[in-house]
């Protein structure tokens, strides 16, 4: 359905919860490195991401991978620093929903790329 991108996630239980949500909605979870935890982390397994074989969770080195996506791919950088509410957007299948770190959000340079 959607592509959920977590940029440098820090908290294993949050990532596990989002992974389960992606599994339930048939969305793809993308994890942008560096991660604030190990994918082998016992906390991550406890959070439920270890059974997330239905999600395509994988690491990506940077946001520049987006140039390899098909023409027309849409990215939404979700931040508290915007005036546009999320409910004003008509999301479409395969859109990328990009979230920043729990403590710092998205870097300013990332927010302005797409």
């Amino acid at each position: 359905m959607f592509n959920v991108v977590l940029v440098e996630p820090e908290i294993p239980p949050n990532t596990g919860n989002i992974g389960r949500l992606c599994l339930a909605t048939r969305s793809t979870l993308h994890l942008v490195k560096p991660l604030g935890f190990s994918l082998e982390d016992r906390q991550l397994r406890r959070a439920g991401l270890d059974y997330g074989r239905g999600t395509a969770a994988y690491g990506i080195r940077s946001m520049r991978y987006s140039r390899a996506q098909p023409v027309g791919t849409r990215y939404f950088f979700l931040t508290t620093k915007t005036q546009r509410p999320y409910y004003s957007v008509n999301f479409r299948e395969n859109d990328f929903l990009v979230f920043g770190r729990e403590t710092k959000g998205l870097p300013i340079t990332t927010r302005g790329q797409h």
Side-chain angles (χ1 to χ4, degrees):
M1 175 129 202
F2 292 115
N3 290 282
V4 176
V5 181
L6 302 181
V7 178
E8 301 178 7
E10 301 169 310
I11 303 172
N14 290 352
T15 303
N17 289 335
I18 293 167
R20 287 192 303 278
L21 177 66
C22 288
L23 182 62
T25 61
R26 296 185 180 183
S27 295
T28 301
L29 176 61
H30 305 266
L31 302 176
V32 178
K33 294 179 179 181
L35 306 180
F37 49 84
S38 165
L39 289 175
E40 303 301 320
D41 193 310
R42 152 176 76 87
Q43 287 181 320
L44 191 61
R45 288 194 304 275
R46 186 180 307 150
L49 200 60
D50 62 327
Y51 68 74
R53 292 181 189 201
T55 64
Y58 55 91
I60 301 169
R61 296 204 186 280
S62 75
M63 288 302 299
R64 294 176 194 234
Y65 77 97
S66 63
R67 294 182 185 165
Q69 300 301 322
V71 173
T73 299
R74 299 184 334 156
Y75 290 82
F76 295 92
F77 295 85
L78 292 105
T79 174
T80 59
K81 311 290 188 270
T82 185
Q83 306 255 336
R84 184 179 183 190
Y86 69 89
Y87 53 81
S88 70
V89 177
N90 290 318
F91 294 104
R92 296 190 305 229
E93 191 170 341
N94 296 318
D95 281 345
F96 280 74
L97 309 176
V98 183
F99 297 87
R101 289 192 285 185
E102 291 95 330
T103 59
K104 295 183 180 180
L106 289 168
I108 291 173
T109 55
T110 303
R111 283 186 249 150
Q113 284 182 349
H114 298 281

